[in-house]
């Protein structure tokens, strides 16, 4: 992991100060949560070269081999009195997609709510977990897995996943990708917290591959028409009824 040892957060970026680098851990989200519970400040980042228990949503596993990808978790504390955790997660997906566009030959897209894909294959996933003090969130842990250097994806996900190395034909370098991710997360989520979801909503809609396409999510099937001001995916079913879907997974 020599490529990551010398990493320094870009000038002016509030994320990655401090940045704790681990050769091996269970899950960076668990590490970041423990640090946040012990008082770690906004922008603290835990980065691992490999995870033994990397996880996605609903207890699913996140493939986390050593030396290939980025596995990181950001402690986000700013603006949580104004912005709800699900909107922060939507904004983070947008930021990651925008950052990764700097490394792909054609643009990436967001699959609602926050997968980042390239030509229908998953390039990055996000696991946002809020820590509450009473009813108020005191921090959101933004856990991010980005496939960077793998030339071949593990067999179990070979059909659905891809990496920057595969889509560009060469390795862009983990440090360069990390730098861009932290800068874009800082800028986009900073804007979201300062000016509200309306300030980034159109950018997200333009990047969301599901808008205008048929989707099935939970009990609802129809055409996704937009993302409403609360972050819900609006779906028009075959009877013309519009549903605002707040959570779930598009099949
Ligand atoms: C996610 O879950 O997409 C969120 C993944 C977040 C991972 C990061 S790594 C750093 C931090 N620490 C953690 O422990 N987690 C976060 P979900 O939408 O549930 O997607 C999981 C599904 O994606 C799996 O069931 C597989 O089908 C697929 N998958 C697993 N590993 C993958 C990979 N490396 N690349 C692409 N797809 C993968």
């Amino acid at each position: 992991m020599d490529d990551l040892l010398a990493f320094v957060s870009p000038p002016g970026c509030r994320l990655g100060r401090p940045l704790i680098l681990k050769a091996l851990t269970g899950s960076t989200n668990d590490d970041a949560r423990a640090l946040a519970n012990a008082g770690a400040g906004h922008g603290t980042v835990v980065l691992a070269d490999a995870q033994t228990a990397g996880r996605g949503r609903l207890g699913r596993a996140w493939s986390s081999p050593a030396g290939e990808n980025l596995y990181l978790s950001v402690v986000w504390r700013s603006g949580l009195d104004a912005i709800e955790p699900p909107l922060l997660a939507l904004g983070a997906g947008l930021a990651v997609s925008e950052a990764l566009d700097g490394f792909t030959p054609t643009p990436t897209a967001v699959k609602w709510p926050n997968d980042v894909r390239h030509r229908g294959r998953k390039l990055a996933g996000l696991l946002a977990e809020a820590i509450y003090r009473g009813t108020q969130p005191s921090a959101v842990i933004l856990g991010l897995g980005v496939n960077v250097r793998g030339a071949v994806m593990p067999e179990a996900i070979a059909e659905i996943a891809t990496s920057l190395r595969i889509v560009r034909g060469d390795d862009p370098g983990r440090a360069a990708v990390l730098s861009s991710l932290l800068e874009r997360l800082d800028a986009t989520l900073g804007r979201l917290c300062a000016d509200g979801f309306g300030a980034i909503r159109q950018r997200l809609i333009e990047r969301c591959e599901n808008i205008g396409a048929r989707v099935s999510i939970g009990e609802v099937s129809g055409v996704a028409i937009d993302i409403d001001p609360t972050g819900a995916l609006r779906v028009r079913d075959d009877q013309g009824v519009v549903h605002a879907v707040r959570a779930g997974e598009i099949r």
Side-chain angles (χ1 to χ4, degrees):
M1 60 181 202
D2 290 359
D3 60 326
L4 295 176
L5 279 173
F7 179 81
V8 181
S9 184
C13 181
R14 294 169 301 169
L15 308 184
R17 301 175 193 281
L19 183 142
I20 295 125
L21 175 61
K22 298 191 165 198
L24 181 68
T25 193
S27 158
T28 57
N29 261 39
D30 294 343
D31 298 336
R33 174 186 289 270
L35 288 171
N37 282 332
H42 176 79
T44 300
V45 169
V46 180
L47 174 70
D49 187 52
Q51 299 182 116
T52 54
R55 55 193 161 78
R57 295 171 297 158
L58 307 168
R60 290 185 288 236
W62 188 257
S63 169
S64 309
E68 290 196 355
N69 306 319
L70 288 168
Y71 317 108
L72 65 140
S73 299
V74 179
V75 176
W76 187 276
R77 290 194 190 272
S78 154
L80 294 179
D81 47 341
I83 292 294
E84 291 179 8
L87 288 180
L88 204 64
L90 283 178
L94 169 67
V96 170
S97 174
E98 289 178 339
L100 294 184
D101 273 9
F103 300 92
T104 53
T106 53
T108 62
V110 173
K111 178 184 171 198
W112 188 91
N114 51 30
D115 281 356
V116 176
R117 311 214 301 171
H118 186 266
R119 297 201 166 154
R121 285 174 186 251
K122 190 154 161 171
L123 197 50
L126 195 103
L127 177 67
E129 298 179 312
I131 299 175
Y132 282 87
R133 290 269 172 278
T135 55
Q136 178 65 27
S138 63
V140 175
I141 308 301
L142 296 169
L144 183 58
V146 182
N147 299 327
V148 181
R149 306 163 97 179
V152 180
M153 301 312 289
E155 198 179 329
I157 54 170
E159 298 293 312
I160 57 159
T162 192
S163 70
L164 290 174
R165 163 85 170 75
I166 292 170
V167 304
R168 339 163 7 114
D170 65 358
D171 169 15
R174 287 190 294 184
V177 178
L178 177 60
S179 201
S180 177
L181 286 169
L182 294 182
E183 278 184 315
R184 192 54 98 148
L185 282 166
D186 190 23
T188 299
L189 298 184
R191 180 88 205 277
L192 169 66
C193 290
D195 300 328
F197 185 54
I200 63 165
R201 178 171 158 247
Q202 203 52 42
R203 266 158 62 195
L204 180 59
I205 289 172
E206 280 161 17
R207 230 162 231 284
C208 180
E209 65 180 28
N210 310 104
I211 306 302
R214 262 203 96 75
V215 296
S216 291
I217 181 163
E219 305 290 292
V220 179
S221 281
V223 175
I225 49 178
D226 71 1
I227 296 168
D228 80 9
T230 71
L233 185 70
R234 295 203 313 147
V235 180
R236 182 181 289 117
D237 71 18
D238 295 339
Q239 283 68 49
V241 179
V242 175
H243 305 257
V245 182
R246 300 199 176 281
E249 184 148 312
I250 295 172
R251 299 186 299 277

